Amino acid sequence: MKKYTLTIVSIVSIAATLLWLFGLGWTLQDQFSATKKMEQPKVKTESSTAKKQEGTLTIFALGDSLTRGTGDADGKGYTGYLTDRLKDKTNQDINLLNTAIKGETSRGLLKQLQQSEIQRQTKQADVIVMTIGGNDLFQQGAALESLDMNAINGKKQIYLNNVKKIYSQLRELNKDAVIYHVGLYNPFSNMPDASTTSSIVRDWNFQSAETAAGYENIVYVPTFDLFQLQVENYLYTDQFHPNTEGYKLIAERVASLINFEQEEKKS
Amino acid sequence: MINLVRNEMLKLLRKKRLYVIILIIAFLVPLFTYAQFKEIQEQREKLGNQDWRTVLQQEITDTQNRLSSSRIQDEWRKYLKIRLSQQQYYLENDIDPRAPGAPTFMRIFVENSIDLLLPLLVMVIVADLVSSEASGGTIKLLLTRPVKRWRILLSKYLAMLLSVSFIVLSVAVLSYGISGVVFGYGGWNMPLLTGFTVSGDELLTDHVHIVPQWQYILMEFGLVWYVCMIVGTLTFMLSVLLRSTAAVMGIMLASLIAGAILANMVASWESAKYFFMVNLNLTNYVSGMATPIEGMSLGFSMSVLAVWGIAGFIIAFVTFSKRDIY
């Protein structure tokens, strides 16, 4: 019996040694031979084509830190509260996909939209919400200090150009989903230069809304008024991002628009 | 010679160490399987969406958000950046690197155990190969035979080699067999990407190519075996040098764990890359992870390990042939 085990273990071990040596040799051959060409996989797997999920409402969120939820104690952001509210109102399953990146500018978003996976998710979306432009204008709060109108106008032109491209790209990918572009508020409206900064933000919002109006089913959602009076109550300690209360305000506003939209479709 | 090796194998089996090791693996694999299973389940619950692309995209976005934070360590940033570009590459090529299945589990399991768990198991077997003969006094009986000393040591070394192969094989078989119950046994032909090269914090994709998962796993197990052999050789050397098995184990244990710790903090101490224990993570080169120290590559790490291994081998044989036994 003992002898039998010994023979088996020995033979298995010798076979294993050969196998591992072969694997090691293959690794060396594979990793060190330089001329390997990448061949693309020929067939895409079935679910890579855009396919909407039946019975669920897919909200696709993209943009910057506001969509990400920076400053919210629960980390939900307005997209999270929006989903909560919609869940209360409808019986539909709601699926939230959030691809927002902190510090994203309009140029960054445009680049992100070139990625195939982002495009695929855009195609699947029923509702698209986005925030963009805050970082173009404020650059984390640094830019408004100088209040150089020429520089700001230059930035605005670049931004508007990018936004146009973003809108077109989104529309091209998804003809039906309503796009809610959440506008800017003025985080500095209780600072000394409030009247100047406010007018800059107002103008920025106005131009963005004008651009949005050129497309079908793009809603530019104003938030300026929400934060106009008691801005300090709705801002996070960084004095720039909204706090939980601020996000809830934004969510409420977007939620009411979305429901309105759904009813419109039914009738 | 064959009889000598047979004799050593018999001693090994008598000690029942191999069974203990198989038991340890058979106990650990279900644990990891369950952990993995839980993780997949939680992810599905959170995203409510079973498409892996969405999950991967979400991960990419999360990483991007972490990268945009300014309070992040340079090391960690580099690591994240490389992972990020790799995930992006997988996504663009429509390949799911983590499609659940027993082969995938096997791969992830060895990738994570190559630098500590498997070397430890090997150490348990090898540590007392020679030293126990010295402390038990049986070495005198062994050496009174009309056989050259180096042949005796070589037979022990070969027995060590065979048992290392056996351990690696049992890891492969057990992790496949056990995890398959949960994840299913398929997935051998799933395509995977390899050939990433890391330079600074950039991920170069010039040599990237697709290999089927079975080949990928075979390659990784080849590397695992290589690492285990080097660790085995070094333990073997210590076992010749020291009479006490506990001391052998202590030294190996300390250096292996030191390696795991060092790998996390040596980035600025460049010459640390010549330690064997920092170079154990060979599978990282195949999957394209960031290296602990700049300038390390598969060729480099394998050479460093080879030098240590050969040195250990020579020291062991020279000391064993020259030493006075009393």
Side-chain angles (χ1 to χ4, degrees), chain A residues 36-85:
Chain A
K36 286 262 182 171
K37 265 283 151 263
M38 171 83 188
E39 33 179 315
Q40 295 292 323
K42 296 120 224 150
V43 266
K44 293 250 169 186
T45 36
E46 54 332 317
S47 52
S48 72
T49 45
K51 171 182 73 183
K52 283 191 183 171
Q53 286 182 309
E54 292 299 319
T56 55
L57 183 77
T58 305
I59 301 178
F60 183 55
L62 67 171
D64 52 27
S65 50
L66 292 179
T67 306
R68 176 53 43 180
T70 308
D72 178 17
D74 294 333
K76 284 178 164 177
Y78 76 88
T79 52
Y81 295 117
L82 173 65
T83 316
D84 290 350
R85 285 194 75 87

Side-chain angles (χ1 to χ4, degrees), chain B residues 32-260:
Chain B
F32 293 132
T33 307
Y34 185 70
Q36 183 89 5
F37 175 70
K38 271 277 164 204
E39 195 187 306
I40 294 173
Q41 215 177 25
E42 196 197 83
Q43 226 159 27
R44 282 191 181 158
E45 232 161 64
K46 207 160 43 179
L47 290 166
N49 191 320
Q50 307 214 343
D51 196 333
W52 63 269
R53 289 176 197 83
T54 317
V55 178
L56 195 56
Q57 178 64 49
Q58 205 61 58
E59 238 170 82
I60 289 174
T61 329
D62 288 348
T63 313
Q64 280 170 327
N65 274 303
R66 264 200 274 177
L67 277 173
S68 68
S69 151
S70 51
R71 292 181 304 276
I72 185 168
Q73 249 186 334
D74 275 356
E75 273 322 295
W76 185 233
R77 179 188 298 276
K78 190 176 116 184
Y79 171 80
L80 286 179
K81 263 191 181 165
I82 288 165
R83 254 182 74 93
L84 185 69
S85 18
Q86 199 184 22
Q87 287 173 331
Q88 202 79 60
Y89 202 83
Y90 267 104
L91 204 50
E92 268 157 31
N93 286 289
D94 205 35
I95 293 173
D96 180 5
R98 282 180 313 193
T104 309
F105 176 84
M106 235 169 122
R107 180 168 55 88
I108 295 173
F109 182 63
V110 289
E111 275 173 8
N112 285 308
S113 50
I114 187 173
D115 59 339
L116 198 58
L117 181 64
L118 290 175
L120 282 181
L121 295 180
V122 168
M123 189 194 79
V124 171
I125 289 275
V126 185
D128 72 340
L129 267 188
V130 185
S131 61
S132 69
E133 305 257 11
S135 53
T138 46
I139 193 147
K140 286 179 211 159
L141 295 173
L142 199 61
L143 292 181
T144 48
R145 303 292 151 116
V147 184
K148 289 234 166 62
R149 278 192 185 184
W150 66 265
R151 288 177 70 105
I152 288 177
L153 196 63
L154 188 62
S155 67
K156 281 187 180 296
Y157 190 80
L158 289 178
M160 186 276 278
L161 186 147
L162 290 182
S163 48
V164 165
S165 303
F166 190 79
I167 293 173
V168 176
L169 184 72
S170 35
V171 166
V173 172
L174 285 172
S175 59
Y176 180 65
I178 295 175
S179 67
V181 176
V182 178
F183 300 123
Y185 291 98
W188 287 105
N189 286 323
M190 191 180 98
L192 282 171
L193 298 169
T194 181
F196 295 99
T197 29
V198 175
S199 132
D201 56 5
E202 292 289 314
L203 188 73
L204 306 180
T205 52
D206 305 347
H207 300 312
V208 170
H209 52 278
I210 294 180
V211 293
Q213 178 146 268
W214 62 267
Q215 184 193 339
Y216 195 94
I217 289 176
L218 190 57
M219 282 162 48
E220 290 204 327
F221 270 92
L223 291 175
V224 166
W225 179 81
Y226 182 76
V227 166
C228 288
M229 274 311 292
I230 299 297
V231 172
T233 308
L234 291 171
T235 320
F236 190 76
M237 174 197 78
L238 286 175
S239 179
V240 171
L241 295 178
L242 304 167
R243 295 175 66 102
S244 139
T245 308
V248 176
M249 285 217 182
I251 293 175
M252 276 320 278
L253 200 61
S255 45
L256 286 174
I257 292 176

Side-chain angles (χ1 to χ4, degrees), chain A residues 188-259:
Chain A
F188 307 113
S189 57
N190 57 350
M191 305 278 224
D193 278 327
S195 62
T196 331
T197 54
S198 285
S199 87
I200 291 169
V201 174
R202 265 200 312 274
D203 180 48
W204 189 281
N205 278 334
F206 176 72
Q207 301 277 359
S208 305
E210 280 289 287
T211 313
Y215 293 81
E216 217 170 296
N217 276 342
I218 297 186
V219 182
Y220 193 83
V221 184
T223 55
F224 188 87
D225 50 341
L226 294 175
F227 291 81
Q228 195 171 2
L229 291 178
Q230 289 166 306
V231 73
E232 65 276 4
N233 291 345
Y234 296 125
L235 285 188
Y236 179 56
T237 44
D238 63 0
Q239 296 302 316
F240 185 70
H241 292 106
N243 60 14
T244 308
E245 293 308 309
Y247 277 122
K248 278 184 178 157
L249 283 180
I250 301 177
E252 227 166 285
R253 182 154 282 185
V254 181
S256 58
L257 291 172
I258 288 181
N259 249 27

